[in-house]
Structure formats: structure tokens, C-alpha cells
Amino acid sequence: MNIARLAIEKQVLSWMIILICLFGGIWGFFSLGRLEDPAFTIKQAIIITEYPGATAAEVAEEVSEPLESAIQKMGELKRVTSINYPGFSRIEIEIKDSYGGDELPAVWTDLRAKVRDAARGLPTGVGEPLVNDSFGDVFGIYYAITAEGFTDAEKHELATFLRRELLTVEGVSDVQVSALPPEVIYVEPDLALTVNQNIAPGTIVNAIANANSVAAAGSIGDTRLQRPEGNDTVSEIEGLSVGFQGEVINLVDVAEVYRGRNTDPSLIMRYNGVEAFTLGIAGLSSENIVDVGNRVDAKLAELDTEIPVGVELNPIYQQHVVVDEASNGFLVNLAMSVGIVVAVLAIAMGWRAAIVVGSTLLLTVSGTMLFMYIFGIEMERISLGALIIAMGMLVDNALVVAEGMQIAMQRGKSSREAADEAAGKTQIPLLGATVIGIMAFAGIGLSPDATGEFLFSLFAVIGISLLLSWVLALTVTPLFSHYFFKQGMGGEEDAYGGPLFRAYGATLRGALKARWLVIPMLVGITAACFWGFGQVKQQFFPDSNTPIFLVHYKLPQGTQIETTSEDLTQVEDWLAGRDDVVSVSTFVGQGAARFILTYAAEEPDPSYGHMLIRTETLEQIPPLAAALEDFAVQALPAGLLRTRRLVFGPGGGDPIEVRVSGSDPDVLREISERVIDTINETSDTILHARTNWYEPQIALRPIYAVDRAQTAGINREDVATATLFATDGISGGVYREGDRQIPIIVRAPREADLTLSDQVIFSEGSGTFIPLEQVIDGYSYEVENTVIHRRDRLSTITVAGNIPSDITAADARAGIVKAIEAIEVPIGYQLEWGGEFESSGEAQASLGQQLPLSFLIMLIISILLFMSLRQPLIIWLLVPMSVNGVVIGLLITGFPFSFTALLGLLSLSGMLIKNGIVLVEEIDIVRREGRALFEAIVEASTSRLRPVMLAAATTIMGMIPLLGDAFFKSMAVTIMGGLAFATILTLIAAPTFYYVLFRRDEAREQEEGAEPAAA
């Protein structure tokens, strides 16, 4: 059955398809979910466990090791890592790529069961392990809220109010508040009075802890009894009675009680140098983030009258604005691409052909939007880019049919006869070529890892659009050709007799005659380009086009958070004088919330500082970042400041990473120092080489005098409690204020100016205070690791380095790989690469597992199309040569070969194979009509000249709008350069290969025909 003829005869059906694609596409476009980046499942969970008083080594051995051993029994586990601090364990587990997001809840349930069982064997004093499997939430609407002149309590009330109101907005899944100033109720006993009265700190702690407790009081019949009302104000806490040795006094008589800020906060945040707190809003995954963002904006506008004067909501990141601009930008790029296609076609084939092919292309894009909505594919960076990637193949289907019908009708045939001829001989080859083009992307779309999940919409959208383009090319294109093309009288001059066709024909004849010169020349060029490919910069995912860059600042391990904050204040002051800085968001002690899916914050650390710096344009970032690093070298010599761009796509870690694993921390540190020295000696492009264990710290340990202390009734825990009281303070419960719970800390007065040796300890046995120095033999100084990283249960140090913006990680690694791998390590220790090399390697390995099946299917289809091996061989010989134009284009522009360029190469392969299939099929058809081999090749190739060149020209020019897009520019150059060379391959190389492979057949047929004649 000829679908094209049926489309003309049954026009109602064709118009139904047209209207469904047009209006359904418009409806789908406005109904589609919108995201910035495609969602991918973060298959990770973290387990937090506290072990107060333990060293990092004790935490690693007594907490992390037992938990990791239990977790390792899970068959779903890909990797387990942990970070061990004094008193604190953080275990992170990663699930194998083969498990989908819908399987993870069951995996997390199993994880909790394993952790719960293992926790029963942990030492006394270890807290309950807490499993968090939702830390991958994206708070894409991210505000810094300043409230100068407001008290800390008022800021907390404001945050509670905003969070409560924003949670009522339709489509909002969570609202996260962080960096609020932490308030504490301090109780500071007068040491002279309490010692004289023999009032132990523990007595005060117990009195406070029971003052505002919540307890059941029973009931009488149907009447419920309430507990006595507690002490819930500072003044009432001051009036608490403290009993000791049969006497009762008020707390205010022996201690000062006041409300203030925690002097050791975990996070400090400023916006443009002004103290602030953050408000992060996450949308439901099923919602259009643009709509959610607009609703949030409307809600904030509604609340404007209720928000006090002086409070400012400063946007750090607004995902809905970014997505809306990206969608509008896509429409502009798409309109430009379609306009370019129509303009080129109008010049080459006339305005009628331009309308026919342009309309089909527009309907294909519109219909794809409809099917994207039906299949739940959001409109985001990858799915939108997929439509432009597929543009060349979308045009080609309609172009082949339209050009065939136009020539046939010029020769006097009716539209129905022309449809029979043009579509009848191409519909199956076009279908096969379309499926092959789709399968070229199957390896990426079906890869189970995060990269495959990130790029799945690319495969899905290309598959939908190409199949739809084939359907429309055989239905809508013939119908519009029937409407617009005029039937000739049949006596017009040869359609392929123009100067261009004659010149091409003469060139092809020369190439066929000089085939043994042409083929070696092509092979030589291909070999040279494969060598040249080694000179092309390599990159995993490109830098983001968001005009924000990151600053990481690190002081020596153990530095107080106030010192870190003061250093970053100097950076803020320097940035405030720059005209190219729009805003500066400063985080001291840890990073920001995950405001985009590909952002991951650093671990909490008082000696760490982080900044998000926004500029007006992308071009301003490199000089600003370089100037900032130069300033920091001069102004902040004690710290290390490094800048980094946001990156598209999954990955993580530093660009250059070398991991050292083994058992002995001292040996690990020695090997890691050798690695750092080797990097510094062999490379000028790797900057800030450092380890993630940082510097060891000096710890002060009291030497417990066993005999004297036990005689006095003082144990080791009493000594620890005394030093805790003298320094950080003892927890005395909480002070409840609405839904807030403010810690109460009992500690020695800050102005007492006492040393540790001046402290006293209360002996329960004697009922008196004893000087601390009487129960200890001084102090010992110990050097200890306060950060211990483990990977798959082995202690692991990671040596990391940064690279300049104009250097790729692959190039930087290439300069040190031999020197690093030459480092000898003891038995039981190992060196391995991490960073971008590992991330890209894992992605490519996963892709490599899928590609063989994809290429096998492509090969089988190409063989089935011809039921022969030589025709597919001709087509597949062209594929390696497609690299030639890619290498030339990337070397000329200086763009790296990134993961998106790989997508362009796959798209290019699909287009090349498609053109090759149609050309070889056309040669076969002409030969079956009785033409001699040489003339059949020239005639068939000449008839394919215009479709091939027009498809190449429209695709190349359609890529021009993408050259300004940071994500797609490498891919655009790959397609543009590759397709320009692929056109030569299709029109010269393919006919030459055909002639070489089939010339003997023709000679044999001539001999067989000559024998009967001679007889």
C-alpha cells in the first residue's frame, strides 16, 4: 500500500492528522511541565550518628565500621563512603545504577532495617543512627532574607510565618529555612557562690531540665488532667528553686540567666554583606515549575502588606524565571531554525517547496509537543535541544518526498502518480533509516546511570519526532505537494540538467575513474583526522550558562567560624567595589541548599566558607574569578580561596582527583604528600593541590590520676563534665517558645578568666568541690586526625586539584598521569583516579554497554533493507569518516569534545547513514531499470544531489542559533563541521565504494551475456 497516494485520496484523514498535530501541539506546549534540567534520581542516602566525646578514629572504628559492615551486605549497594569527625559519623551510600527510582523506597526500607539491627551492637553513648534518603530535594526558588534592626526572635517569627504561608501554595512540596541566628538560654553560675554553697553544676542542670517538661497527668472520668504549667520565660527560669543539702535557694541568687546568640553557630549567612537567612522553596516533581514559581511570586506579593517594613526578600536563584527564559529562547531558536530552512528551500527549490517542507517541519515539531505531554516528558534543556538536534533528519524525510514529487510532476505526472513514484520507492528505506537514526541515540537514552537518566528525554524526543516526521512525510507532504506543486507538460528540459548538476556529474565521473586515487586519499584524510582527534580538548559536561560562579574558601582545620567569617568579610568588601558583581551570597560553615539539581554543597566545617557570586554576563566571570583569586593570595595568605563554575549535568567532585587507600593513616598521609609534590613538580595547570583530610590538629587530653581521683570519688566522666562546663557548656534541656525549642546551656561565666587548671569538680562522695588539678597529672598534647574519610571500608585520602578555565580536566590529567602512576605504594595500598576522569569513564562505560546492542540493531536493519551485505558495507564504511569534519570544526573553533559533542556525533552518524541508505537504494533502483553500472551511479547520485545538499545546508544553518548556547555549542560545531564533510562522503565516497564493490558483477554479467551471443 502506498501511504502517500492514500493521503491524497483520503484527504479527511490527512487533515485530521494536520489538525491534531497543530492544535494538539499548541495545547501540549502550554500544558507541558517545565524544568531547568531534566530530573535524575539521586540514588544516595546518608546516615548520621553521634558519638559524643569520641575521637575521629574511635568514631571510624566503633561506629562507621560496624554500620558499613552491615550495609555492605545489601546486594543493591554500589559504594559506601564515610566521613568521621570527633563525635560524629556521616555515612553515604550509593545504589547501583541498574535500580530505578521506583525501586528505591524498598531499598531504603531494607537499609533502615540493616542499620537498626547493627545499631544494637554499637557502644554505650552512641546516639541512634538517622537515615536520610531525601537530601536530593531541589530548592529552585531560593531567597536570602535580610531584616536589619530586627531581633533574633523576630527573625524566627518572620521565618515561621513565611514558611507557613508558602507551604499553602499549590505545587509547593517543601520550604526550607536555614541560617537563622541560633538562640540559646545561657545559665552562668557565679563560681565563687556555687563553690562556697557546694552547689554542683549538675544540680542546676537537673532543676532546669525538669522545669518545663511535658508529662501526662492522667484523667478523672471524662475530664483530662493537665500537668502544672512550666517555666517558659527567662525570668521564670531565673526564679527556679535549687535544692541542695536540705536548703532551697533561687537560681537568680547564684547564676546569671540571659538569652543570646550561640557563640559557636554552625552556619552564618550574608547577602551583599548584610546578615541574612535563606528560604528555599521546592516544587512537586509533577508540577510545572514556572507555574509554581508564578504562584509563589503572587503569594509573596499578597503577603507584602503583612511583611514588616525593613524586611527584604533577595532572590539568589529563581528557577522558574530561568526556565521561562530558556523556553522563550528555545522558541526563538526554533523559529530561526525553521525560518532558515524555509529560506534555503525557497532559494533552492522555490517558494512552493519551501511551504510544503516548512509546513511539514512545523507540524512535526508541534506534534512532538503533543506526544511529549502524553508521555509525561517535561520541557527542559535536553528535550528542547533534542528537537534542534533532530532538525536535519526531520527535514530530510519531507525533503526526499517533496523533491521526488516535484520532479515527477514537472515531468508531466499527476500528483497521485508522483506520490506513487516518489514515496513508493523511498518509504521503506526512509523508515529503516529513521529507525537507525533513533537507535543511534538508544545507547545514551537507555543507559541506567545518572547520565543516561539525565539524557533520556533526548532519546525519547528524537524517537518521537523522527517517527512522526516519517509519518508526516508520507501523509502531509504529499497532500501539500498536491495543493502547491504544478503539473508540467512532460516536455520540459531535464530537471537535473542545470549547471550544478552537470558539474557534479562530471566530478563524480572523474572520481569513479580515479577511484584508486580517491579511496586512498579518503583513508589518509581519515587517518590524519583520527590522529588530530587526540589534539582536541576533552570535556565531560560543559560549564553552565548561568552567570553565577562559586567560591570555596578554606582555612587550616580547627579554625573558628568567626575567623572564617571575618576573612570572607574582606572578600565581600573587595567585591562590593566591583561594577561587574550583581550580588554576593556568603555562607560560612557550610554550603548553600541544593538550588539546582547538579549542585552539591560541601560538608559542614567551621573553617570553610562558600560564596555564590552573580555577574551580569558569562563573559565577566573568568576575569573576575582570576582577579578575586589574585586578591585572596595577597589579602588572605592563611587560607586557600578557589573559584569554580557551575557545570551542566551529573558528576561531582573536583576536576582532578587522586585517591589513596589503605589502613595506616600515617602511611596514607605520606603517600598523599608525595602525590601533591608530584603534581606541583610536573604540572603548571593543576592549581591548589590539597587533601580532604586537611591538617592534623593538636588535642589536649587530661592525664587522669587514677589513685587520687578514685580516692576522691571522681571518675573520668566527671573530669570530662568539668572541662565541658568550663568550655562549651552542659546542655540543660530546652526552653519552649511556641514551636521552637531553644537550648539551655549551663556553663562557666565567660568573663571569669579562668584556665582549665583553675576548675573544680564536685565530688558526690564527699559532697564538696575538689580542684581539678588534684585529680589529674597535667595534660598531654596529642596530634590527631579530626577528619577521616573511608571508601568501601578503607581509609582513603583524596588529593584534589583545580584547573584554569581555559584548560580541560582531560588535558590537565594527561600531563601528570605517567608521573602519578609511577609512584610506588606499599602492598595493601592503592592509587586510583577520581574526579572528572572517573565520572566520564563511568558514563562512557555505561554507554559502552548499551551501544553494541544499538549498533547491532542498526546493522541488522541496514542488511534487511537490502537483503544483501555489500550495500550495508558501503554505508557503514562512511561512518568512521564522519569524524573528519568533526575534528576540523573543533580544532578551528577550539571548542572541547564534550558529552554533548558525542551526541552531535551520534546524530551525524544517523544522518550520514540515512543519506547513504537512500542513495544506495536509488542506485539499486536505477540499475534494475537496466542502466549500466557507471551511468546508473551517476544518474542516481545526481538525483540525490539536491536533497542531500539542501538537508545539509538547512541543518548546518539551523545550528547557528545554538553556537551562543554554552551547553550545545560543541554539539553544534560537531554537527556543522561533520555534516559539511559528510555531504562529500555521501556524494563522492559512497558512489565510489559502490562502483568498486559492484564492478565485477557487471563485468561477469557482460561475459555471461557475451557467451550466448558468440554461440
Side-chain angles (χ1 to χ4, degrees):
M1 180 187 68
N2 192 308
I3 301 174
R5 187 182 185 107
L6 184 66
I8 296 174
E9 293 177 348
K10 306 294 183 181
Q11 296 186 19
V12 173
L13 295 177
S14 299
W15 274 104
M16 283 180 60
I17 294 173
I18 293 169
L19 295 176
I20 289 173
C21 287
L22 180 60
F23 293 107
I26 294 172
W27 172 73
F29 175 80
F30 288 105
S31 303
L32 277 173
R34 284 170 169 78
L35 294 172
E36 180 178 6
D37 291 304
F40 60 92
T41 306
I42 297 178
K43 302 173 185 177
Q44 294 170 322
I46 56 174
I47 302 159
I48 304 297
T49 312
E50 294 186 354
Y51 190 8
T55 65
E58 290 169 339
V59 170
E61 181 179 356
E62 300 176 27
V63 177
S64 295
E65 170 61 25
L67 292 177
E68 289 171 7
S69 298
I71 293 168
Q72 200 171 36
K73 298 175 183 177
M74 296 176 62
E76 304 91 345
L77 184 68
K78 176 181 179 181
R79 183 180 300 122
V80 57
T81 59
S82 65
I83 310 177
N84 303 276
Y85 304 97
F88 181 76
S89 164
R90 183 185 190 276
I91 300 174
E92 182 173 314
I93 73 163
E94 186 175 350
I95 301 303
K96 290 177 181 176
D97 296 330
S98 55
Y99 290 87
D102 56 340
E103 299 174 277
L104 289 183
V107 174
W108 302 143
T109 299
D110 185 29
L111 171 65
R112 286 184 168 86
K114 289 280 194 301
V115 170
R116 188 166 52 248
D117 292 343
R120 297 191 183 102
L122 296 178
T124 302
V126 176
E128 179 184 358
L130 302 176
V131 179
N132 178 11
D133 57 33
S134 60
F135 71 105
D137 292 344
V138 178
F139 298 90
I141 305 171
Y142 198 37
Y143 286 96
I145 301 176
T146 57
E148 294 184 88
F150 288 75
T151 66
D152 292 346
E154 289 170 336
K155 292 178 182 178
H156 279 268
E157 291 176 6
L158 172 64
T160 301
F161 166 73
L162 290 173
R163 183 176 188 275
R164 183 181 64 244
E165 292 297 325
L166 290 174
L167 280 172
T168 65
V169 175
E170 182 184 355
V172 170
S173 64
D174 192 15
V175 178
Q176 182 189 80
V177 178
S178 64
L180 280 167
E183 287 192 288
V184 177
I185 304 297
Y186 285 112
V187 178
E188 296 181 349
D190 185 311
L191 296 183
L193 289 174
T194 54
V195 170
N196 287 333
Q197 297 293 332
N198 279 338
I199 303 175
T203 303
I204 298 175
V205 169
N206 291 334
I208 295 171
N210 296 324
N212 198 22
S213 60
V214 178
S219 61
I220 301 175
D222 295 334
T223 303
R224 189 169 68 88
L225 293 176
Q226 290 275 24
R227 72 185 188 283
E229 190 167 335
N231 303 95
D232 56 1
T233 66
V234 172
S235 59
E236 288 176 328
I237 292 175
E238 287 179 325
L240 283 176
S241 298
V242 179
F244 70 101
Q245 298 181 355
E247 299 184 19
V248 177
I249 64 171
N250 290 330
L251 182 60
V252 71
D253 294 330
V254 294
E256 180 184 3
V257 181
Y258 64 94
R259 179 172 178 164
R261 281 195 184 184
N262 189 335
T263 54
D264 188 24
S266 61
L267 174 62
I268 298 172
M269 195 271 163
R270 292 188 292 269
Y271 183 82
N272 288 341
V274 179
E275 183 181 78
F277 64 91
T278 62
L279 192 73
I281 304 163
L284 292 169
S285 59
S286 58
E287 289 283 333
N288 183 335
I289 191 62
V290 175
D291 292 340
V292 173
N294 290 336
R295 293 187 205 116
V296 168
D297 289 344
K299 185 67 175 181
L300 290 175
E302 178 186 325
L303 297 174
D304 189 57
T305 56
E306 300 181 53
I307 297 175
V309 175
V311 175
E312 295 185 10
L313 277 70
N314 307 283
I316 299 175
Y317 194 79
Q318 292 178 295
Q319 190 180 48
H320 60 294
V321 174
V322 173
V323 172
D324 195 39
E325 290 176 351
S327 298
N328 294 335
F330 162 74
L331 290 178
V332 172
N333 286 343
L334 183 62
M336 289 174 62
S337 296
V338 174
I340 289 170
V341 170
V342 172
V344 172
L345 291 174
I347 295 171
M349 296 178 64
W351 67 269
R352 298 176 186 273
I355 292 176
V356 170
V357 178
S359 300
T360 306
L361 178 61
L362 190 60
L363 287 172
T364 302
V365 174
S366 178
T368 301
M369 294 287 181
L370 172 61
F371 283 102
M372 285 174 62
Y373 175 78
I374 292 173
F375 292 118
I377 302 171
E378 290 91 357
M379 187 186 297
E380 25 78 3
R381 192 189 318 276
I382 303 300
S383 60
L384 295 180
L387 281 171
I388 299 180
I389 291 174
M391 191 69 69
M393 289 181 278
L394 298 183
V395 171
D396 201 33
N397 280 334
L399 190 58
V400 169
V401 175
E403 201 259 356
M405 285 191 66
Q406 186 181 47
I407 297 300
M409 291 180 70
Q410 286 176 359
R411 291 173 175 171
K413 293 187 177 182
S414 68
S415 59
R416 289 169 176 79
E417 293 171 334
D420 264 337
E421 178 181 321
K425 65 182 181 181
T426 58
Q427 61 185 16
I428 299 303
L430 284 178
L431 176 61
T434 298
V435 174
I436 287 175
I438 295 170
M439 293 308 300
F441 293 90
I444 288 178
L446 301 180
S447 178
D449 66 347
T451 303
E453 192 174 0
F454 185 77
L455 296 171
F456 173 76
S457 61
L458 178 91
F459 167 65
V461 171
I462 285 179
I464 291 170
S465 60
L466 287 185
L467 285 175
L468 185 59
S469 75
W470 179 79
V471 172
L472 296 180
L474 296 179
T475 54
V476 175
T477 302
L479 180 64
F480 284 178
S481 298
H482 167 72
Y483 291 152
F484 287 97
F485 291 162
K486 291 184 177 181
Q487 182 177 359
M489 301 303 295
E492 287 87 347
E493 62 182 49
D494 183 7
Y496 302 121
L500 178 63
F501 294 101
R502 291 198 303 272
Y504 168 65
T507 303
L508 181 56
R509 285 186 173 89
L512 294 177
K513 292 175 181 177
R515 56 192 175 278
W516 299 117
L517 176 63
V518 171
I519 293 175
M521 186 172 62
L522 287 171
V523 172
I525 293 173
T526 302
C529 286
F530 268 96
W531 175 85
F533 190 76
Q535 312 305 311
V536 175
K537 297 178 182 178
Q538 304 292 310
Q539 189 180 52
F540 187 29
F541 276 101
D543 292 333
S544 170
N545 56 9
T546 301
I548 293 177
F549 71 99
L550 312 178
V551 171
H552 300 280
Y553 182 65
K554 185 70 174 67
L555 283 166
Q557 189 69 7
T559 303
Q560 295 295 309
I561 193 169
E562 291 85 359
T563 305
T564 311
S565 178
E566 289 169 4
D567 281 6
L568 289 182
T569 299
Q570 297 183 50
V571 178
E572 291 169 335
D573 293 341
W574 183 83
L575 290 169
R578 301 276 305 199
D579 295 333
D580 47 2
V581 175
V582 175
S583 65
V584 179
S585 303
T586 304
F587 301 82
V588 188
Q590 63 187 67
R594 190 188 294 270
F595 60 94
I596 57 175
L597 190 59
T598 55
Y599 170 86
E602 296 285 329
E603 301 302 326
D605 184 349
S607 60
Y608 169 75
H610 183 59
M611 287 179 158
L612 303 177
I613 302 177
R614 180 180 286 274
T615 59
E616 287 284 357
T617 64
L618 286 174
E619 292 72 24
Q620 293 172 330
I621 291 179
L624 174 60
L628 177 56
E629 291 186 355
D630 291 341
F631 164 77
V633 169
Q634 301 297 324
L636 305 170
L640 172 62
L641 185 145
R642 52 195 174 88
T643 61
R644 190 171 182 188
R645 292 283 301 276
L646 289 172
V647 177
F648 287 120
D654 289 286
I656 303 295
E657 288 183 358
V658 181
R659 287 194 296 269
V660 187
S661 299
S663 56
D664 189 334
D666 293 332
V667 176
L668 291 178
R669 281 197 178 275
E670 188 271 329
I671 297 173
S672 67
E673 289 300 324
R674 284 160 54 195
V675 172
I676 291 176
D677 292 341
T678 301
I679 291 174
N680 292 335
E681 291 169 3
T682 58
S683 175
D684 296 328
T685 58
I686 299 178
L687 313 174
H688 314 314
R690 62 202 181 277
T691 75
N692 63 346
W693 281 34
Y694 308 116
E695 306 82 8
Q697 286 184 251
I698 294 178
L700 193 64
R701 185 187 294 273
I703 302 172
Y704 183 67
V706 179
D707 294 337
R708 297 198 306 273
Q710 290 182 350
T711 300
I714 303 296
N715 57 34
R716 289 177 174 81
E717 187 175 344
D718 293 331
V719 174
T721 302
T723 56
L724 180 64
F725 171 76
T727 54
D728 298 335
I730 304 170
S731 175
V734 294
Y735 160 50
R736 296 202 321 279
E737 186 175 71
D739 61 348
R740 294 180 61 197
Q741 295 189 7
I742 303 174
I744 301 175
I745 301 296
V746 181
R747 66 178 187 179
R750 299 295 91 177
E751 66 277 4
D753 196 24
L754 299 174
T755 66
L756 282 178
S757 298
D758 296 327
Q759 301 303 313
V760 292
I761 304 177
F762 185 78
S763 171
E764 295 288 348
S766 62
T768 60
F769 281 93
I770 297 174
L772 175 62
E773 61 183 4
Q774 291 187 9
V775 295
I776 63 173
D777 290 328
Y779 297 88
S780 64
Y781 293 87
E782 300 178 0
V783 177
E784 66 176 22
N785 295 308
T786 55
V787 180
I788 297 178
H789 287 256
R790 289 161 54 94
R791 183 181 178 89
D792 292 330
R793 298 179 60 198
L794 276 177
S795 296
T796 303
I797 293 183
T798 300
V799 177
N802 288 85
I803 55 177
S805 58
D806 58 340
I807 300 293
T808 64
D811 291 340
R813 177 183 172 274
I816 63 168
V817 62
K818 290 183 179 179
I820 294 295
E821 294 180 353
I823 296 176
E824 295 184 0
V825 297
I827 297 174
Y829 294 80
Q830 61 181 13
L831 287 173
E832 60 181 357
W833 293 97
E836 187 171 306
F837 174 78
E838 182 180 46
S839 299
S840 61
E842 289 179 350
Q844 290 168 7
S846 180
L847 175 62
Q849 293 175 359
Q850 309 300 320
L851 279 181
L853 179 60
S854 301
F855 278 108
L856 179 61
I857 295 173
M858 294 165 67
L859 182 61
I860 291 173
I861 291 174
S862 61
I863 292 173
L864 291 177
L865 282 173
F866 297 99
M867 298 306 291
S868 172
L869 294 178
R870 283 181 291 180
Q871 286 92 336
L873 177 61
I874 293 168
I875 295 164
W876 284 94
L877 282 173
L878 304 178
V879 173
M881 297 182 182
S882 63
V883 175
N884 299 354
V886 174
V887 171
I888 294 170
L890 292 176
L891 287 176
I892 290 174
T893 59
F895 292 166
F897 186 80
S898 63
F899 206 86
T900 55
L902 175 60
L903 302 181
L905 185 59
L906 293 176
S907 174
L908 177 64
S909 301
M911 287 184 273
L912 185 58
I913 290 172
K914 187 173 189 178
N915 284 333
I917 287 174
V918 177
L919 174 60
V920 171
E921 176 70 15
E922 183 70 18
I923 297 174
D924 284 348
I925 291 173
V926 176
R927 285 186 65 201
R928 286 196 294 268
E929 293 174 355
R931 304 286 199 284
L933 176 63
F934 191 94
E935 291 304 320
I937 292 175
V938 174
E939 181 179 333
S941 300
T942 303
S943 69
R944 284 294 298 156
L945 174 64
R946 184 160 55 180
V948 169
M949 293 193 66
L950 285 178
T954 53
T955 304
I956 290 171
M957 297 185 71
M959 289 290 123
I960 292 175
L962 293 184
L963 290 175
D965 189 294
F967 187 71
F968 286 115
K969 64 181 182 182
S970 291
M971 184 204 70
V973 169
T974 297
I975 293 177
M976 294 170 76
L979 195 54
F981 197 88
T983 303
I984 299 173
L985 292 176
T986 303
L987 296 174
I988 300 296
T992 304
F993 288 142
Y994 194 103
Y995 187 64
V996 169
L997 290 177
F998 284 90
R999 187 167 179 270
R1000 290 185 178 180
D1001 284 1
E1002 185 180 49
R1004 187 169 53 252
E1005 290 171 3
Q1006 290 175 350
E1007 290 176 2
E1008 291 173 355
E1011 288 176 1

